[in-house]
PDB file of all heavy atoms in Angstrom:
ATOM      1  N   ASN A 331      -6.785   2.373 -75.362  1.00 93.00           N
ATOM      2  CA  ASN A 331      -6.978   2.589 -73.935  1.00 93.00           C
ATOM      3  C   ASN A 331      -6.465   1.534 -73.089  1.00 93.00           C
ATOM      4  O   ASN A 331      -5.909   1.747 -71.963  1.00 93.00           O
ATOM      5  CB  ASN A 331      -8.448   2.851 -73.679  1.00 93.00           C
ATOM      6  CG  ASN A 331      -9.384   1.635 -73.941  1.00 93.00           C
ATOM      7  OD1 ASN A 331      -9.125   0.998 -74.866  1.00 93.00           O
ATOM      8  ND2 ASN A 331     -10.367   1.428 -73.066  1.00 93.00           N
ATOM      9  N   GLU A 332      -6.516   0.238 -73.519  1.00 93.00           N
ATOM     10  CA  GLU A 332      -5.921  -0.898 -72.745  1.00 93.00           C
ATOM     11  C   GLU A 332      -4.410  -0.789 -72.771  1.00 93.00           C
ATOM     12  O   GLU A 332      -3.829  -1.055 -71.756  1.00 93.00           O
ATOM     13  CB  GLU A 332      -6.343  -2.183 -73.456  1.00 93.00           C
ATOM     14  CG  GLU A 332      -7.882  -2.485 -73.334  1.00 93.00           C
ATOM     15  CD  GLU A 332      -8.304  -3.744 -74.151  1.00 93.00           C
ATOM     16  OE1 GLU A 332      -8.007  -3.815 -75.377  1.00 93.00           O
ATOM     17  OE2 GLU A 332      -8.802  -4.653 -73.534  1.00 93.00           O
ATOM     18  N   ILE A 333      -3.850  -0.490 -73.933  1.00 92.00           N
ATOM     19  CA  ILE A 333      -2.364  -0.333 -74.001  1.00 92.00           C
ATOM     20  C   ILE A 333      -1.919   0.772 -73.135  1.00 92.00           C
ATOM     21  O   ILE A 333      -0.951   0.706 -72.421  1.00 92.00           O
ATOM     22  CB  ILE A 333      -1.971  -0.111 -75.476  1.00 92.00           C
ATOM     23  CG1 ILE A 333      -2.338  -1.314 -76.302  1.00 92.00           C
ATOM     24  CG2 ILE A 333      -0.444   0.191 -75.586  1.00 92.00           C
ATOM     25  CD1 ILE A 333      -2.216  -1.030 -77.775  1.00 92.00           C
ATOM     26  N   ALA A 334      -2.611   1.905 -73.140  1.00 91.00           N
ATOM     27  CA  ALA A 334      -2.212   3.032 -72.240  1.00 91.00           C
ATOM     28  C   ALA A 334      -2.156   2.586 -70.805  1.00 91.00           C
ATOM     29  O   ALA A 334      -1.281   3.025 -70.048  1.00 91.00           O
ATOM     30  CB  ALA A 334      -3.200   4.174 -72.464  1.00 91.00           C
ATOM     31  N   THR A 335      -3.176   1.734 -70.366  1.00 91.00           N
ATOM     32  CA  THR A 335      -3.208   1.339 -68.987  1.00 91.00           C
ATOM     33  C   THR A 335      -2.004   0.366 -68.729  1.00 91.00           C
ATOM     34  O   THR A 335      -1.367   0.543 -67.759  1.00 91.00           O
ATOM     35  CB  THR A 335      -4.528   0.618 -68.758  1.00 91.00           C
ATOM     36  OG1 THR A 335      -5.646   1.472 -68.847  1.00 91.00           O
ATOM     37  CG2 THR A 335      -4.516   0.025 -67.240  1.00 91.00           C
ATOM     38  N   MET A 336      -1.760  -0.524 -69.644  1.00 90.00           N
ATOM     39  CA  MET A 336      -0.625  -1.467 -69.520  1.00 90.00           C
ATOM     40  C   MET A 336       0.713  -0.810 -69.442  1.00 90.00           C
ATOM     41  O   MET A 336       1.575  -1.136 -68.605  1.00 90.00           O
ATOM     42  CB  MET A 336      -0.661  -2.432 -70.715  1.00 90.00           C
ATOM     43  CG  MET A 336      -1.831  -3.327 -70.778  1.00 90.00           C
ATOM     44  SD  MET A 336      -1.769  -4.342 -72.330  1.00 90.00           S
ATOM     45  CE  MET A 336      -3.138  -5.440 -72.148  1.00 90.00           C
ATOM     46  N   LEU A 337       0.868   0.244 -70.318  1.00 88.00           N
ATOM     47  CA  LEU A 337       2.207   0.879 -70.377  1.00 88.00           C
ATOM     48  C   LEU A 337       2.289   2.084 -69.546  1.00 88.00           C
ATOM     49  O   LEU A 337       3.346   2.739 -69.512  1.00 88.00           O
ATOM     50  CB  LEU A 337       2.459   1.237 -71.834  1.00 88.00           C
ATOM     51  CG  LEU A 337       2.464   0.009 -72.874  1.00 88.00           C
ATOM     52  CD1 LEU A 337       2.933   0.532 -74.225  1.00 88.00           C
ATOM     53  CD2 LEU A 337       3.351  -1.144 -72.351  1.00 88.00           C
ATOM     54  N   GLU A 338       1.234   2.438 -68.901  1.00 87.00           N
ATOM     55  CA  GLU A 338       1.172   3.588 -67.995  1.00 87.00           C
ATOM     56  C   GLU A 338       1.520   4.902 -68.720  1.00 87.00           C
ATOM     57  O   GLU A 338       2.444   5.665 -68.341  1.00 87.00           O
ATOM     58  CB  GLU A 338       2.150   3.325 -66.790  1.00 87.00           C
ATOM     59  CG  GLU A 338       1.750   2.168 -65.939  1.00 87.00           C
ATOM     60  CD  GLU A 338       2.695   2.005 -64.742  1.00 87.00           C
ATOM     61  OE1 GLU A 338       3.711   2.649 -64.737  1.00 87.00           O
ATOM     62  OE2 GLU A 338       2.436   1.124 -63.973  1.00 87.00           O
ATOM     63  N   CYS A 339       0.832   5.024 -69.927  1.00 88.00           N
ATOM     64  CA  CYS A 339       1.054   6.208 -70.729  1.00 88.00           C
ATOM     65  C   CYS A 339      -0.353   6.718 -71.162  1.00 88.00           C
ATOM     66  O   CYS A 339      -1.380   6.124 -70.748  1.00 88.00           O
ATOM     67  CB  CYS A 339       1.897   5.897 -71.977  1.00 88.00           C
ATOM     68  SG  CYS A 339       1.204   4.755 -73.155  1.00 88.00           S
ATOM     69  N   SER A 340      -0.358   7.757 -71.953  1.00 90.00           N
ATOM     70  CA  SER A 340      -1.623   8.252 -72.435  1.00 90.00           C
ATOM     71  C   SER A 340      -2.062   7.519 -73.655  1.00 90.00           C
ATOM     72  O   SER A 340      -1.270   6.833 -74.376  1.00 90.00           O
ATOM     73  CB  SER A 340      -1.519   9.764 -72.811  1.00 90.00           C
ATOM     74  OG  SER A 340      -0.653   9.999 -73.868  1.00 90.00           O
ATOM     75  N   THR A 341      -3.364   7.623 -74.029  1.00 92.00           N
ATOM     76  CA  THR A 341      -3.921   7.009 -75.158  1.00 92.00           C
ATOM     77  C   THR A 341      -3.272   7.686 -76.409  1.00 92.00           C
ATOM     78  O   THR A 341      -2.901   6.994 -77.424  1.00 92.00           O
ATOM     79  CB  THR A 341      -5.475   7.189 -75.300  1.00 92.00           C
ATOM     80  OG1 THR A 341      -6.023   6.571 -74.167  1.00 92.00           O
ATOM     81  CG2 THR A 341      -6.036   6.541 -76.519  1.00 92.00           C
ATOM     82  N   GLY A 342      -3.114   8.971 -76.392  1.00 91.00           N
ATOM     83  CA  GLY A 342      -2.527   9.650 -77.510  1.00 91.00           C
ATOM     84  C   GLY A 342      -1.056   9.182 -77.683  1.00 91.00           C
ATOM     85  O   GLY A 342      -0.556   9.068 -78.834  1.00 91.00           O
ATOM     86  N   ASN A 343      -0.266   8.896 -76.628  1.00 90.00           N
ATOM     87  CA  ASN A 343       1.057   8.423 -76.686  1.00 90.00           C
ATOM     88  C   ASN A 343       1.065   7.022 -77.346  1.00 90.00           C
ATOM     89  O   ASN A 343       1.885   6.751 -78.261  1.00 90.00           O
ATOM     90  CB  ASN A 343       1.616   8.281 -75.316  1.00 90.00           C
ATOM     91  CG  ASN A 343       3.050   7.865 -75.272  1.00 90.00           C
ATOM     92  OD1 ASN A 343       3.386   6.684 -75.448  1.00 90.00           O
ATOM     93  ND2 ASN A 343       4.004   8.773 -75.035  1.00 90.00           N
ATOM     94  N   SER A 344       0.178   6.178 -77.019  1.00 92.00           N
ATOM     95  CA  SER A 344      -0.003   4.889 -77.703  1.00 92.00           C
ATOM     96  C   SER A 344      -0.176   4.939 -79.136  1.00 92.00           C
ATOM     97  O   SER A 344       0.362   4.319 -79.992  1.00 92.00           O
ATOM     98  CB  SER A 344      -1.108   4.085 -77.022  1.00 92.00           C
ATOM     99  OG  SER A 344      -1.266   2.812 -77.659  1.00 92.00           O
ATOM    100  N   LYS A 345      -1.187   5.873 -79.548  1.00 93.00           N
ATOM    101  CA  LYS A 345      -1.479   6.036 -80.934  1.00 93.00           C
ATOM    102  C   LYS A 345      -0.307   6.612 -81.754  1.00 93.00           C
ATOM    103  O   LYS A 345      -0.070   6.158 -82.853  1.00 93.00           O
ATOM    104  CB  LYS A 345      -2.693   6.968 -81.095  1.00 93.00           C
ATOM    105  CG  LYS A 345      -4.025   6.414 -80.594  1.00 93.00           C
ATOM    106  CD  LYS A 345      -5.183   7.392 -80.743  1.00 93.00           C
ATOM    107  CE  LYS A 345      -6.454   6.823 -80.324  1.00 93.00           C
ATOM    108  NZ  LYS A 345      -7.589   7.729 -80.567  1.00 93.00           N
ATOM    109  N   SER A 346       0.366   7.502 -81.102  1.00 92.00           N
ATOM    110  CA  SER A 346       1.552   8.125 -81.743  1.00 92.00           C
ATOM    111  C   SER A 346       2.606   7.072 -81.996  1.00 92.00           C
ATOM    112  O   SER A 346       3.237   7.036 -83.014  1.00 92.00           O
ATOM    113  CB  SER A 346       2.088   9.304 -80.956  1.00 92.00           C
ATOM    114  OG  SER A 346       3.238   9.874 -81.529  1.00 92.00           O
ATOM    115  N   GLN A 347       2.906   6.280 -80.900  1.00 92.00           N
ATOM    116  CA  GLN A 347       3.935   5.218 -81.074  1.00 92.00           C
ATOM    117  C   GLN A 347       3.543   4.217 -82.153  1.00 92.00           C
ATOM    118  O   GLN A 347       4.466   3.780 -82.925  1.00 92.00           O
ATOM    119  CB  GLN A 347       4.069   4.478 -79.690  1.00 92.00           C
ATOM    120  CG  GLN A 347       4.602   5.280 -78.605  1.00 92.00           C
ATOM    121  CD  GLN A 347       6.117   5.166 -78.580  1.00 92.00           C
ATOM    122  OE1 GLN A 347       6.762   4.109 -78.698  1.00 92.00           O
ATOM    123  NE2 GLN A 347       6.772   6.323 -78.479  1.00 92.00           N
ATOM    124  N   LEU A 348       2.247   3.925 -82.217  1.00 94.00           N
ATOM    125  CA  LEU A 348       1.880   2.953 -83.272  1.00 94.00           C
ATOM    126  C   LEU A 348       2.075   3.554 -84.652  1.00 94.00           C
ATOM    127  O   LEU A 348       2.537   2.876 -85.569  1.00 94.00           O
ATOM    128  CB  LEU A 348       0.416   2.603 -83.078  1.00 94.00           C
ATOM    129  CG  LEU A 348      -0.206   1.646 -84.107  1.00 94.00           C
ATOM    130  CD1 LEU A 348       0.495   0.297 -84.078  1.00 94.00           C
ATOM    131  CD2 LEU A 348      -1.687   1.466 -83.947  1.00 94.00           C
ATOM    132  N   HIS A 349       1.656   4.813 -84.841  1.00 94.00           N
ATOM    133  CA  HIS A 349       1.781   5.473 -86.102  1.00 94.00           C
ATOM    134  C   HIS A 349       3.294   5.470 -86.521  1.00 94.00           C
ATOM    135  O   HIS A 349       3.620   5.167 -87.705  1.00 94.00           O
ATOM    136  CB  HIS A 349       1.334   6.966 -85.951  1.00 94.00           C
ATOM    137  CG  HIS A 349       1.541   7.705 -87.156  1.00 94.00           C
ATOM    138  ND1 HIS A 349       0.974   7.556 -88.432  1.00 94.00           N
ATOM    139  CD2 HIS A 349       2.340   8.894 -87.366  1.00 94.00           C
ATOM    140  CE1 HIS A 349       1.324   8.395 -89.382  1.00 94.00           C
ATOM    141  NE2 HIS A 349       2.226   9.292 -88.683  1.00 94.00           N
ATOM    142  N   LYS A 350       4.187   5.769 -85.637  1.00 93.00           N
ATOM    143  CA  LYS A 350       5.568   5.887 -85.889  1.00 93.00           C
ATOM    144  C   LYS A 350       6.147   4.470 -86.236  1.00 93.00           C
ATOM    145  O   LYS A 350       7.102   4.281 -87.017  1.00 93.00           O
ATOM    146  CB  LYS A 350       6.388   6.522 -84.843  1.00 93.00           C
ATOM    147  CG  LYS A 350       6.122   8.048 -84.773  1.00 93.00           C
ATOM    148  CD  LYS A 350       6.786   8.725 -83.667  1.00 93.00           C
ATOM    149  CE  LYS A 350       6.498  10.205 -83.641  1.00 93.00           C
ATOM    150  NZ  LYS A 350       6.916  10.960 -84.842  1.00 93.00           N
ATOM    151  N   ALA A 351       5.631   3.483 -85.485  1.00 93.00           N
ATOM    152  CA  ALA A 351       6.054   2.073 -85.696  1.00 93.00           C
ATOM    153  C   ALA A 351       5.695   1.630 -87.121  1.00 93.00           C
ATOM    154  O   ALA A 351       6.441   1.015 -87.822  1.00 93.00           O
ATOM    155  CB  ALA A 351       5.383   1.122 -84.689  1.00 93.00           C
ATOM    156  N   ARG A 352       4.478   1.980 -87.531  1.00 93.00           N
ATOM    157  CA  ARG A 352       4.011   1.642 -88.846  1.00 93.00           C
ATOM    158  C   ARG A 352       4.836   2.269 -89.933  1.00 93.00           C
ATOM    159  O   ARG A 352       5.208   1.596 -90.944  1.00 93.00           O
ATOM    160  CB  ARG A 352       2.488   1.879 -89.087  1.00 93.00           C
ATOM    161  CG  ARG A 352       1.599   1.051 -88.252  1.00 93.00           C
ATOM    162  CD  ARG A 352       0.145   1.597 -88.260  1.00 93.00           C
ATOM    163  NE  ARG A 352      -0.759   0.600 -87.714  1.00 93.00           N
ATOM    164  CZ  ARG A 352      -2.056   1.009 -87.485  1.00 93.00           C
ATOM    165  NH1 ARG A 352      -2.502   2.180 -87.789  1.00 93.00           N
ATOM    166  NH2 ARG A 352      -2.934   0.077 -86.923  1.00 93.00           N
ATOM    167  N   LEU A 353       5.137   3.561 -89.767  1.00 93.00           N
ATOM    168  CA  LEU A 353       6.084   4.274 -90.687  1.00 93.00           C
ATOM    169  C   LEU A 353       7.455   3.570 -90.769  1.00 93.00           C
ATOM    170  O   LEU A 353       7.938   3.341 -91.873  1.00 93.00           O
ATOM    171  CB  LEU A 353       6.166   5.713 -90.247  1.00 93.00           C
ATOM    172  CG  LEU A 353       4.952   6.588 -90.418  1.00 93.00           C
ATOM    173  CD1 LEU A 353       5.318   7.995 -89.918  1.00 93.00           C
ATOM    174  CD2 LEU A 353       4.456   6.658 -91.860  1.00 93.00           C
ATOM    175  N   LYS A 354       7.940   3.224 -89.640  1.00 92.00           N
ATOM    176  CA  LYS A 354       9.192   2.508 -89.629  1.00 92.00           C
ATOM    177  C   LYS A 354       9.190   1.176 -90.214  1.00 92.00           C
ATOM    178  O   LYS A 354      10.047   0.740 -91.057  1.00 92.00           O
ATOM    179  CB  LYS A 354       9.720   2.397 -88.208  1.00 92.00           C
ATOM    180  CG  LYS A 354      11.183   1.774 -88.021  1.00 92.00           C
ATOM    181  CD  LYS A 354      12.183   2.655 -88.666  1.00 92.00           C
ATOM    182  CE  LYS A 354      13.571   2.073 -88.431  1.00 92.00           C
ATOM    183  NZ  LYS A 354      14.650   2.932 -89.018  1.00 92.00           N
ATOM    184  N   LEU A 355       8.042   0.416 -90.074  1.00 91.00           N
ATOM    185  CA  LEU A 355       7.905  -0.858 -90.641  1.00 91.00           C
ATOM    186  C   LEU A 355       7.857  -0.790 -92.197  1.00 91.00           C
ATOM    187  O   LEU A 355       8.495  -1.538 -92.951  1.00 91.00           O
ATOM    188  CB  LEU A 355       6.579  -1.494 -90.192  1.00 91.00           C
ATOM    189  CG  LEU A 355       6.717  -2.415 -88.948  1.00 91.00           C
ATOM    190  CD1 LEU A 355       5.298  -2.925 -88.642  1.00 91.00           C
ATOM    191  CD2 LEU A 355       7.657  -3.525 -89.169  1.00 91.00           C
ATOM    192  N   ARG A 356       7.104   0.292 -92.793  1.00 90.00           N
ATOM    193  CA  ARG A 356       7.125   0.426 -94.130  1.00 90.00           C
ATOM    194  C   ARG A 356       8.469   0.716 -94.744  1.00 90.00           C
ATOM    195  O   ARG A 356       8.858   0.100 -95.797  1.00 90.00           O
ATOM    196  CB  ARG A 356       6.205   1.617 -94.489  1.00 90.00           C
ATOM    197  CG  ARG A 356       4.722   1.357 -94.254  1.00 90.00           C
ATOM    198  CD  ARG A 356       3.946   2.580 -94.687  1.00 90.00           C
ATOM    199  NE  ARG A 356       2.675   2.692 -93.944  1.00 90.00           N
ATOM    200  CZ  ARG A 356       1.966   3.869 -93.860  1.00 90.00           C
ATOM    201  NH1 ARG A 356       2.452   5.004 -94.401  1.00 90.00           N
ATOM    202  NH2 ARG A 356       0.871   3.818 -93.263  1.00 90.00           N
ATOM    203  N   GLU A 357       9.216   1.443 -94.026  1.00 90.00           N
ATOM    204  CA  GLU A 357      10.617   1.784 -94.373  1.00 90.00           C
ATOM    205  C   GLU A 357      11.419   0.446 -94.421  1.00 90.00           C
ATOM    206  O   GLU A 357      12.238   0.300 -95.411  1.00 90.00           O
ATOM    207  CB  GLU A 357      11.220   2.767 -93.446  1.00 90.00           C
ATOM    208  CG  GLU A 357      12.680   3.169 -93.707  1.00 90.00           C
ATOM    209  CD  GLU A 357      13.226   4.037 -92.586  1.00 90.00           C
ATOM    210  OE1 GLU A 357      12.468   4.849 -92.019  1.00 90.00           O
ATOM    211  OE2 GLU A 357      14.431   3.797 -92.306  1.00 90.00           O
ATOM    212  N   LEU A 358      11.334  -0.342 -93.378  1.00 90.00           N
ATOM    213  CA  LEU A 358      12.096  -1.538 -93.288  1.00 90.00           C
ATOM    214  C   LEU A 358      11.683  -2.581 -94.421  1.00 90.00           C
ATOM    215  O   LEU A 358      12.498  -3.234 -95.051  1.00 90.00           O
ATOM    216  CB  LEU A 358      11.878  -2.142 -91.959  1.00 90.00           C
ATOM    217  CG  LEU A 358      12.498  -1.443 -90.779  1.00 90.00           C
ATOM    218  CD1 LEU A 358      11.989  -2.048 -89.448  1.00 90.00           C
ATOM    219  CD2 LEU A 358      14.023  -1.520 -90.792  1.00 90.00           C
ATOM    220  N   LEU A 359      10.326  -2.566 -94.677  1.00 88.00           N
ATOM    221  CA  LEU A 359       9.812  -3.584 -95.693  1.00 88.00           C
ATOM    222  C   LEU A 359      10.210  -3.179 -97.121  1.00 88.00           C
ATOM    223  O   LEU A 359      10.183  -4.000 -98.024  1.00 88.00           O
ATOM    224  CB  LEU A 359       8.351  -3.725 -95.590  1.00 88.00           C
ATOM    225  CG  LEU A 359       7.810  -4.387 -94.293  1.00 88.00           C
ATOM    226  CD1 LEU A 359       6.316  -4.197 -94.109  1.00 88.00           C
ATOM    227  CD2 LEU A 359       8.133  -5.808 -94.283  1.00 88.00           C
ATOM    228  N   HIS A 360      10.605  -1.911 -97.269  1.00 86.00           N
ATOM    229  CA  HIS A 360      11.074  -1.514 -98.656  1.00 86.00           C
ATOM    230  C   HIS A 360      12.488  -2.009 -99.011  1.00 86.00           C
ATOM    231  O   HIS A 360      12.845  -2.190-100.201  1.00 86.00           O
ATOM    232  CB  HIS A 360      11.145   0.020 -98.733  1.00 86.00           C
ATOM    233  CG  HIS A 360       9.872   0.745 -99.060  1.00 86.00           C
ATOM    234  ND1 HIS A 360       8.961   0.286-100.011  1.00 86.00           N
ATOM    235  CD2 HIS A 360       9.133   1.733 -98.370  1.00 86.00           C
ATOM    236  CE1 HIS A 360       7.888   1.062-100.037  1.00 86.00           C
ATOM    237  NE2 HIS A 360       8.012   1.887 -99.020  1.00 86.00           N
TER     238      HIS A 360
END
Side-chain angles (χ1 to χ4, degrees):
N331 62 321
E332 296 175 299
I333 296 171
T335 299
M336 291 175 180
L337 302 186
E338 299 178 352
C339 66
S340 69
T341 300
N343 184 282
S344 175
K345 290 181 178 181
S346 179
Q347 290 275 310
L348 177 64
H349 174 66
K350 291 179 181 294
R352 288 169 171 174
L353 291 178
K354 183 64 176 177
L355 271 178
R356 291 181 204 160
E357 177 186 326
L358 292 168
L359 290 170
H360 278 311

